[in-house]
Amino acid sequence: MDKKKVAVPLVCHGHSRPVVDLFYSPVTPDGFFLISASKDSSPMLRNGETGDWIGTFEGHKGAVWSCCLDTNALRAATASADFSTRKVWDALTGDELHSFEHKHIVRACAFSEDTHLLLTGGVEKILRIYDMNRPDAPPREVDKSPGSVRTVAWLHSDQTILSSCTDMGGVRYIVHWFLMLKLMFHRLWDVRSGKIVQTLETKSSVTSAEVSQDGRYITTADGSTSYDMPCTVESVSLEPKFGNKFVAGGEDMWVHVFDFHTGNEIACNKGHHGPVHCVRFSPGGESYASGSEDGTIRIWQTGPLTLDDSEALSANGSIDKVKVAADEVSRKIEGFHIADEGKSKAKDEDVEESS
């Protein structure tokens, strides 16, 4: 068996308690940026390439569970245990711009692609949409969620919301992929009607959900060990440029890299001294970051990516089946759209299979 590749990371210190969420901005004229959420109540902004500390957003009084940057990396949002989003920040100055009060712990937040809307969710089981152009206006509340909201994201040019809950009861299976990595809808909400339009069941609550840059894939982890994974996985992230690999982190304190097409482990990176709570690829796929119970962020280099790296041709039927399954999910995501009257529809497409 070939020896697994080992990478030496950039180690980013600064947090005094576990790092529980990471978010990369898209590439901007000033580069790209990495924001981190931690139980120490002090989210931090860093240079996404070097990991150099830029600043700390000060003002929370409880653990910060989620963080995000808008498309232009000009504003940051954080979700906290002090019953607030709680805050929207100026990412250039670190100043607090807005504070949106909630009645319970907020676990997730996400800016819309056009940066005009902010989505939040948490223990209240309510999804709220804030208009950043009218921050003083009451938020729009989407139908009560079936459980405490754990993750949120936007899809389909901000027409659709993706959310996952700590209580997944009554959700239907659509597709189940290999290795604890699932490409799925979870719960999809029509933003216009505020209703659930599609759901998918998982064995346990989802702890990580990520939408690919091209919108074709949703990558999630639910902690299940029913597949051949080395540990209970808490977070996964798909390489954004070619989609040829994904990283996973969990309770064994290591960061694992897997081939997307075969599911084989191609690298195992050691260095954290506690469970890995979050992993995220940088927007260009040249590196990925991991956050851990040990309070550190580690940035691992993948090296330059080439088109050849993304062309993993299968040598047997089993790999072909995995690729077909992923393609089928991709078609379902691309085929789903919101009709003009606000009702959900799915395009009927013929699937050609080459012999």
Side-chain angles (χ1 to χ4, degrees):
M1 179 181 292
D2 293 337
K3 187 176 181 180
K4 299 288 191 301
K5 299 177 183 178
V6 178
V8 178
L10 298 170
V11 182
C12 306
H13 298 280
H15 286 296
S16 59
R17 295 198 64 201
V19 177
V20 293
D21 193 28
L22 295 169
F23 185 94
Y24 275 106
S25 75
V27 177
T28 74
D30 297 314
F32 60 94
F33 302 90
L34 175 65
I35 188 172
S36 57
S38 169
K39 292 182 180 180
D40 65 6
S41 76
S42 300
M44 294 184 179
L45 185 67
R46 299 177 183 274
N47 180 297
E49 183 176 6
T50 65
D52 290 342
W53 176 84
I54 295 175
T56 301
F57 301 104
E58 298 180 343
H60 281 297
K61 297 179 181 179
V64 178
W65 290 107
S66 179
C67 57
C68 62
L69 293 163
D70 68 13
T71 304
N72 303 311
L74 297 178
R75 290 178 296 188
T78 48
S80 173
D82 55 10
F83 292 19
S84 56
T85 292
R86 164 177 166 206
K87 299 179 184 297
V88 176
W89 314 82
D90 186 320
L92 300 180
T93 66
D95 294 336
E96 178 185 329
L97 299 176
H98 314 292
S99 181
F100 302 121
E101 298 302 321
H102 291 63
K103 296 178 181 179
H104 216 306
I105 296 170
V106 184
R107 292 298 302 265
C109 59
F111 280 110
S112 59
E113 183 179 354
D114 65 11
T115 75
H116 296 319
L117 303 175
L118 177 66
L119 172 65
T120 71
V123 178
E124 282 185 272
K125 304 180 182 181
I126 297 173
L127 295 172
R128 290 184 172 90
I129 301 174
Y130 293 88
D131 186 343
M132 292 293 93
N133 297 318
R134 298 189 305 136
D136 295 329
R140 180 180 176 187
E141 295 188 355
V142 181
D143 252 3
K144 194 172 180 67
S145 176
S148 297
V149 178
R150 182 67 180 265
T151 66
V152 295
W154 294 89
L155 289 170
H156 309 130
S157 300
D158 303 332
Q159 294 185 78
T160 315
I161 292 169
L162 167 73
S163 72
S164 65
C165 304
T166 55
D167 174 14
M168 298 299 290
V171 187
R172 297 186 306 276
Y173 258 116
I174 295 174
V175 104
H176 195 185
W177 200 47
F178 68 95
L179 287 177
M180 289 227 29
L181 181 69
K182 297 180 175 61
L183 309 177
M184 61 177 69
F185 283 109
H186 292 289
R187 287 184 172 86
L188 284 176
W189 307 75
D190 181 343
V191 174
R192 289 185 251 184
S193 69
K195 303 296 183 182
I196 296 176
V197 294
Q198 192 143 16
T199 56
L200 181 69
E201 189 174 83
T202 58
K203 288 191 172 183
S204 55
S205 61
V206 171
T207 55
S208 169
E210 176 188 75
V211 179
S212 63
Q213 287 183 3
D214 60 10
R216 295 183 66 207
Y217 297 114
I218 300 167
T219 310
T220 72
D222 70 359
S224 169
T225 56
S226 58
Y227 289 87
D228 188 20
M229 292 295 276
C231 69
T232 298
V233 172
E234 192 167 340
S235 181
V236 290
S237 183
L238 182 66
E239 191 281 321
K241 193 170 184 181
F242 299 116
N244 61 339
K245 65 185 74 172
F246 64 93
V247 294
E251 66 179 13
D252 68 354
M253 302 184 286
W254 299 346
V255 180
H256 304 270
V257 186
F258 296 91
D259 184 278
F260 173 87
H261 301 284
T262 67
N264 294 332
E265 184 175 9
I266 56 179
C268 178
N269 301 319
K270 305 176 182 179
H272 282 297
H273 302 289
V276 176
H277 296 308
C278 46
V279 292
R280 284 292 177 264
F281 262 104
S282 65
E286 66 278 355
S287 63
Y288 50 93
S290 57
S292 169
E293 182 77 16
D294 64 16
T296 67
I297 300 166
R298 294 172 189 260
I299 299 176
W300 315 80
Q301 301 299 318
T302 57
L305 293 174
T306 65
L307 186 59
D308 292 339
D309 292 334
S310 69
E311 296 175 344
L313 299 179
S314 61
N316 58 60
S318 62
I319 299 176
D320 284 336
K321 291 178 182 177
V322 169
K323 293 174 70 177
V324 168
D327 289 341
E328 287 175 352
V329 178
S330 172
R331 280 193 290 272
K332 289 180 181 180
I333 295 173
E334 291 173 331
F336 180 85
H337 70 287
I338 304 298
D340 291 338
E341 63 272 20
K343 296 180 181 179
S344 63
K345 292 185 178 180
K347 300 175 184 175
D348 294 327
E349 296 181 357
D350 293 330
V351 180
E352 284 187 16
E353 294 183 2
S354 57
S355 57

